[in-house]
Amino acid sequence: MSDYYTLLNVPRDAGEEQIKKAYRKLALEYHPDRNKGSKEAEERFKELTQAYEVLRDAEKRATYDRYGEQGLKGRAGSGGMGGIDFSDAIDVFMRDFGGFSGLEDVFGMRGGGRAQRTASRKTQTVRIRLPLTLAEVAHGVTKTLRVALLDECGSCNGSGAQAGTAPVACGACGGSGEERLVQRSVFGQFVSVQPCRACQGEGRVIDQPCGTCRGEGRARRETEIEVEVPAGVTSENFLTLRGRGSVGSRGGPRGDIVVLLEVEDDERFVRDGPDLIHELPITFGQAALGDEIDVPTIEGTARVTVPAGIQSGDLLRLKGLGLPELNGHHRGDQLLRVVLWTPDELTPEQEEALRNLRAVESTAPKHIRRRAHKGFWSRVKEAFSSG
Ligand SMILES: [Zn+2]
Ligand SMILES: [Zn+2]
């Protein structure tokens, strides 16, 4: 693993804020949610988090500066023991940046997806991806999703023990669920408290596991959930359904469901905040003489008047035909970017007409003066509302 400072791309005297910012930026780039299934990204994400965990902690950082990674290895429970694991890395990210991968919770609750950690069990957050079309984004949509959740096992009522028996106190830890580890290193003796390995920190063990769930206390069940997606969302948003996820193992609390929104590309439009940009190819004849053209909008089609003398690259604006802002009242516009289309094949008749035109046409100016197309917006609006 390379140098922590190099990894995070910060100078050796970087301050806390700088380190945090650098980590967040890189971690978002390599976050598993944005790099579906890439082992490389996962590994990088882990390394970045490891570097961040050391450099954000003054004491660990000082040790690292003096002794390098080797120096951290002696520290029990320091997170420096040969690197943190992947799920720890995810937890670190969520702890410091709240919620999901730095995405934004649609309901405005930053940190909504934060994993809750009890002494020994983690509640599990169930994540589902929800693809959306631009048209769905324009109006908001209610979707029904099928999710496989873990529910309390019916045979043992979630205890994990066979009917008629009950879990007993763990012999290894005496029911405390904790195990103490003493380690020696160049820095002296370190004691760390870890969850008991015999009972996974639960303090209880099951002698006769339930036959249905094999002692898990949970069983998988498919269920349907309804999700209301507000208008104006982006792929940077997610929705948290609090306490609607899987139950924890052996009576643990129910986790959340996090719905990651994925707005599909629409080849007709490029999204620019609340505005939608559509490229409108026109012919030279249309540009020179003006025309009425039907263009696709998110609502269907609109008839627009292309004014005579329009230049390639000019923008026409269809007011209010963009997307609504999330949790706002403003609605964006649709912009038409006019592109002059040149035919690459000509009929003899067209060729003759163009030769005649070239004989009489004016030469192009050195600079194109863009005209404001005064009064054009109102004309478009009229055309739209009547058509
Ligand atoms: Zn059971
Ligand atoms: Zn134990």
Side-chain angles (χ1 to χ4, degrees):
M1 182 163 159
S2 46
D3 178 78
Y4 290 166
Y5 293 95
T6 315
L7 252 172
L8 292 178
N9 196 20
V10 291
R12 298 197 82 81
D13 59 355
E16 208 177 303
E17 267 311 301
Q18 194 179 357
I19 287 168
K20 197 168 174 177
K21 255 175 101 175
Y23 166 70
R24 182 177 186 272
K25 183 167 163 269
L26 288 164
L28 277 173
E29 189 178 325
Y30 291 100
H31 197 282
D33 283 346
R34 296 195 173 169
N35 297 275
K36 293 165 199 169
S38 158
K39 276 279 154 206
E40 261 165 65
E42 203 171 278
E43 196 50 39
R44 190 64 178 275
F45 181 77
K46 236 168 65 180
E47 285 180 356
L48 289 164
T49 307
Q50 159 92 11
Y52 169 67
E53 271 298 81
V54 171
L55 297 190
R56 61 176 278 282
D57 179 312
E59 205 185 313
K60 285 182 204 166
R61 184 174 174 181
T63 306
Y64 177 76
D65 285 346
R66 286 192 71 178
Y67 304 102
E69 214 166 68
Q70 284 302 317
L72 296 161
K73 288 206 170 136
R75 300 172 53 117
S78 71
M81 307 268 293
I84 57 180
D85 74 22
F86 182 62
S87 84
D88 284 342
I90 296 279
D91 281 355
V92 165
F93 188 92
M94 295 215 282
R95 178 198 69 205
D96 287 7
F97 299 100
F100 248 76
S101 0
L103 309 179
E104 215 145 332
D105 197 320
V106 167
F107 300 133
M109 300 179 293
R110 293 226 52 147
R114 188 181 297 265
Q116 284 149 18
R117 233 176 167 160
T118 58
S120 60
R121 337 179 161 103
K122 267 190 232 176
T123 61
Q124 281 171 350
T125 301
V126 175
R127 286 189 266 177
I128 355 173
R129 298 176 192 280
L130 174 57
L132 297 168
T133 64
L134 263 191
E136 288 170 336
V137 169
H139 297 285
V141 65
T142 304
K143 290 251 177 182
T144 306
L145 302 175
R146 288 198 72 79
V147 210
L149 294 177
L150 290 166
D151 268 343
E152 206 168 74
C153 167
S155 310
C156 62
N157 293 322
S159 76
Q162 197 166 48
T165 73
V168 294
C170 169
C173 61
S176 74
E178 289 178 349
E179 189 177 348
R180 273 157 210 284
L181 274 181
V182 180
Q183 294 201 336
R184 286 174 193 288
S185 77
V186 284
F187 302 106
Q189 187 169 295
F190 290 91
V191 179
S192 71
V193 179
Q194 296 189 341
C196 166
R197 277 171 294 184
C199 61
Q200 276 86 47
E202 286 182 26
R204 297 173 307 166
V205 286
I206 291 164
D207 264 349
Q208 289 167 278
C210 161
T212 312
C213 63
R214 295 164 203 267
E216 245 290 278
R218 301 184 290 182
R220 199 162 284 277
R221 183 175 64 87
E222 278 240 324
T223 181
E224 284 190 346
I225 54 162
E226 214 167 70
V227 187
E228 250 181 72
V229 183
V233 294
T234 70
S235 296
E236 302 288 291
N237 292 133
F238 64 90
L239 298 151
T240 308
L241 309 174
R242 209 163 288 283
R244 304 263 310 269
S246 292
V247 291
S249 66
R250 288 170 217 157
R254 208 174 261 281
D256 301 333
I257 295 178
V258 168
V259 183
L260 297 163
L261 305 178
E262 288 179 353
V263 182
E264 291 166 346
D265 285 339
D266 186 318
E267 57 180 19
R268 300 168 303 167
F269 305 107
V270 173
R271 194 172 175 177
D272 180 22
D275 294 337
L276 293 172
I277 302 168
H278 172 76
E279 196 168 85
L280 179 65
I282 59 172
T283 65
F284 175 69
Q286 287 175 312
L289 304 171
D291 202 359
E292 302 228 316
I293 303 178
D294 285 330
V295 296
T297 70
I298 201 74
E299 311 291 352
T301 53
R303 171 147 284 227
V304 296
T305 308
V306 174
I310 197 162
Q311 300 294 343
S312 189
D314 276 359
L315 288 176
L316 302 178
R317 186 180 295 267
L318 303 180
K319 266 238 166 289
L321 285 185
L323 299 169
E325 272 178 347
L326 181 60
N327 305 325
H329 302 292
H330 173 75
R331 203 180 166 108
D333 303 330
Q334 178 172 333
L335 299 170
L336 303 171
R337 183 183 293 139
V338 172
V339 181
L340 190 63
W341 172 74
T342 311
D344 47 11
E345 262 176 64
L346 297 172
T347 63
E349 194 187 6
Q350 289 168 340
E351 191 174 340
E352 202 201 333
L354 285 167
R355 284 190 190 285
N356 291 337
L357 172 64
R358 201 171 66 183
V360 296
E361 72 186 352
S362 333
T363 50
K366 287 214 161 53
H367 299 286
I368 294 173
R369 254 196 320 145
R370 302 222 174 260
R371 288 197 281 160
H373 301 300
K374 257 200 172 155
F376 173 69
W377 309 136
S378 51
R379 269 191 282 145
V380 166
K381 245 189 160 172
E382 268 166 40
F384 176 66
S385 47
S386 63

